[in-house]
Amino acid sequence: MRFGYGSNGFPNHRLEDALAVIADLGYQGVALTLDHAHLDPFAPDLPGRVTALSRRLNDLGLAVVVETGARYLLDPRRKHEPTLVSDRGRDRRVAFLRTAVDVAADLGAEAVSFWSGIRPAHVPEQDAWEWLAAGCSAVLETAERRGVPLGFEPEPGMLVHDLDGYERLHALLGRPEAFGLTLDIGHCRCNEPLPVADCVRRAGDRIVNVQIDDMRRGVHEHLEFGEGEIGFPPVLAALAETGYRGLVAVELPRHGHDAPRVAERSLAFLQHAAAEAAAAAEPRPERERATLEQVRAVLVERLSVGAAAWLHESCALVARDPDVLARRFPAAGRRCGRGPLGSPVPALDGWTVDDAVRAVLLGALPADGADLAAEAGGVYHHGDAAEKRGVLRALDVLGTGPDAVPLVRDALRSNDTRLIAAALGAFAAEHLDGDAWRHGVLKCVFLGMPLATVAGLDLRADAELNRMLRDLARERMAAGRPVPDDVRLVLARLDQVT
């Protein structure tokens, strides 16, 4: 993914200074808005200035796309006027866009981006569409001759404001290959009914230029990343899926007062989001559920001779008389150890030696199903935190069935992170109802626990968990609190599947 930054985000800098800052920060390109301060297309010696700029871009290693959205370049009194749908002066806009295409060709730019303009209230819609198609055809003729792709941008509030409008215009023009799409990611959130990542997929191979910023539904305001409502890893993943290889340029034209720092923060955010997208795209095989036999095998390698003898004797006693369990269960840590189990079995990650010993003791009971759940409940309710954790771990390898679910619910009502981690194991993933399981996941976030401790997360996560986590992330950002990286990763995966 190649990231660029819009020169319109550096309105208070000389162009050469802005380019140097953008390159020094690590961006690979610039979205160059032709304007009075940045390569004025109406100032003297345009060819000479373009040649000099081309050399400078090459020296800095910056790719370029040409943007044409300067506010007062054509009319000092009316922003963006005249446009391709104005009742007067459309020829001036067409001439400017043709000049932009020539500049882009001489710079070796990847695309020229432009939009329709706002239809004046007194202009019939049909007339506006006809004028727009005629103007685009004229610009397209120059673009095809110079070999420059056009990127037409749907813009909120303009005649063409969404992807439906772009497709209508593309059809009116005869679907020419050179008439591509500039996709502003923020505009997708603002205007389109589909999730942003789905908008990217819908646009597909028509995308020739991407502008990126954060935004909220129904509000056309370009925001810094993290201040709006967009989840970016799935968006970047969708761009990669389409095969897009052009620039992804930050579009923050109202942040020029702090341009260098905003640009630095933006690149760090996008690089992190791209890494999350790549991680989410990697296959994540589910861990196989551990068995009681595996627990026993690991203990054989871990226990001393004396501890192994004690466990063997205890299991034999419990098998003959279940009442012995209440006496032997609390002694597991003292007789066998409390350190990490260190198992090569991934599903036993996080287990301690006494967890494993207690699971084996429960497995020695002459009971199954509801009876086994009742026996486990007895030592759970009379035990300390370590004993309760041992019971919860044991549920993952015992065949108690759903009768033991109340023990998991009880643990999830606590604020003991050790109990909660044990409670959200394979047993909970299989037997806990959706509402209780989702709230268990959220409790992990509230308590600062890594979501990697939640068994079956990829399999059980759904649209409702997506909504709950996204609401939580918004609340944290609004309060100035960080959103944990693993929450962002889970949201990225959820956006891809929901």
Side-chain angles (χ1 to χ4, degrees):
M1 197 70 66
R2 295 185 302 139
F3 297 118
Y5 202 88
S7 67
N8 63 358
F10 280 79
N12 304 312
H13 285 67
R14 299 179 186 88
L15 179 57
E16 57 268 30
D17 291 338
L19 295 177
V21 172
I22 289 169
D24 287 347
L25 288 174
Y27 285 96
Q28 294 176 277
V30 61
L32 174 65
T33 297
L34 303 183
D35 206 347
H36 61 86
H38 291 170
L39 196 63
D40 186 346
F42 301 119
D45 191 23
L46 179 61
R49 289 182 289 118
V50 169
T51 299
L53 176 58
S54 180
R55 286 197 297 265
R56 183 61 174 155
L57 290 169
N58 287 334
D59 290 344
L60 293 171
L62 292 175
V64 62
V65 295
V66 171
E67 298 279 353
T68 59
R71 293 186 178 96
Y72 293 100
L73 184 65
L74 301 185
D75 188 326
R77 294 178 176 83
R78 299 183 302 158
K79 186 175 76 170
H80 292 155
E81 291 290 334
T83 73
L84 293 174
V85 295
S86 299
D87 54 349
R88 291 175 296 177
R90 294 189 302 279
D91 56 335
R92 292 178 58 207
R93 175 63 63 172
V94 170
F96 164 57
L97 293 176
R98 282 178 150 173
T99 298
V101 170
D102 287 333
V103 168
D106 294 339
L107 288 176
E110 299 180 3
V112 171
S113 181
F114 67 110
W115 32 243
S116 63
I118 298 172
R119 176 177 65 89
H122 63 275
V123 171
E125 185 173 349
Q126 183 60 36
D127 289 352
W129 277 98
E130 290 176 2
W131 297 343
L132 175 61
C136 289
S137 294
V139 178
L140 185 61
E141 184 276 327
T142 303
E144 289 175 334
R145 176 169 51 81
R146 297 300 309 267
V148 176
L150 296 179
F152 189 90
E153 180 188 4
E155 179 88 14
M158 294 192 176
L159 178 66
V160 178
H161 63 273
D162 58 12
L163 290 173
D164 286 345
Y166 164 78
E167 291 174 358
R168 175 181 175 182
L169 177 60
H170 193 224
L172 283 174
L173 296 172
R175 296 186 172 84
E177 184 65 25
F179 195 80
L181 172 70
T182 288
L183 190 69
D184 187 301
I185 299 304
H187 294 173
C188 291
R189 178 57 184 164
C190 178
N191 268 5
E192 302 287 348
L194 292 174
V196 179
D198 289 346
C199 293
V200 173
R201 296 185 184 95
R202 174 184 173 182
D205 61 5
R206 299 308 307 156
I207 305 173
V208 298
N209 180 37
V210 172
Q211 300 167 353
I212 194 162
D213 44 79
D214 212 342
M215 206 167 285
R216 299 186 181 97
R217 173 74 68 194
V219 182
H220 186 200
E221 180 183 4
H222 293 246
L223 302 172
E224 276 198 68
F225 302 113
E227 294 182 357
E229 300 172 341
I230 300 174
F232 285 92
V235 173
L236 298 180
L239 281 171
E241 288 173 25
T242 68
Y244 179 71
R245 295 294 179 268
L247 283 179
V248 179
V250 178
E251 179 81 359
L252 293 173
R254 299 184 186 276
H255 293 70
H257 62 283
D258 196 22
R261 288 194 293 181
V262 171
E264 184 176 15
R265 290 195 296 267
S266 298
L267 183 58
F269 182 97
L270 289 172
Q271 288 172 334
H272 186 73
E276 289 187 2
E282 294 176 359
R284 288 171 49 85
E286 281 297 310
R287 297 184 301 180
E288 293 185 4
R289 185 166 180 170
T291 65
L292 188 59
E293 288 69 27
Q294 287 175 315
V295 176
R296 291 192 183 105
V298 172
L299 281 176
V300 167
E301 301 295 327
R302 298 292 182 272
L303 295 183
S304 67
V305 173
W310 178 86
L311 178 59
H312 179 75
E313 177 191 49
S314 298
C315 287
L317 293 172
V318 168
R320 290 197 300 270
D321 181 4
D323 290 342
V324 173
L325 180 68
R327 298 192 298 274
R328 296 278 170 149
F329 204 76
R334 176 167 48 85
R335 298 302 299 264
C336 298
R338 299 181 175 87
L341 183 61
S343 170
V345 180
L348 299 178
D349 286 350
W351 282 49
T352 61
V353 171
D354 52 325
D355 287 338
V357 169
R358 289 183 171 112
V360 171
L361 288 173
L362 285 166
L365 286 165
D368 57 15
D371 291 337
L372 182 55
E375 294 284 358
V379 289
Y380 175 90
H381 288 297
H382 290 93
D384 61 15
E387 293 163 50
K388 288 181 176 180
R389 188 188 67 229
V391 172
L392 295 167
R393 294 290 193 199
L395 296 180
D396 288 354
V397 297
L398 300 174
T400 59
D403 296 284
V405 164
L407 304 183
V408 173
R409 289 181 175 275
D410 180 83
L412 292 178
R413 285 192 290 269
S414 77
N415 288 318
D416 188 324
T417 56
R418 298 168 302 170
L419 292 186
I420 292 169
L424 288 173
F427 177 84
E430 182 177 350
H431 295 292
L432 200 60
D433 68 83
D435 187 59
W437 182 84
R438 292 187 206 98
H439 281 89
V441 175
L442 257 66
K443 192 152 195 175
C444 288
V445 179
F446 280 122
L447 296 176
M449 299 169 58
L451 292 184
T453 61
V454 180
L457 183 61
D458 285 353
L459 292 177
R460 289 210 57 176
D462 55 12
E464 179 61 12
L465 180 64
N466 190 348
R467 182 194 66 76
M468 294 167 73
L469 286 175
R470 196 164 295 285
D471 287 348
L472 177 61
R474 288 196 195 99
E475 290 173 6
R476 290 207 165 196
M477 288 187 293
R481 299 173 61 198
V483 178
D485 288 344
D486 59 351
V487 172
R488 294 182 185 276
L489 267 174
V490 170
L491 285 171
R493 295 189 194 108
L494 286 171
D495 282 339
Q496 289 180 339
V497 299
T498 62

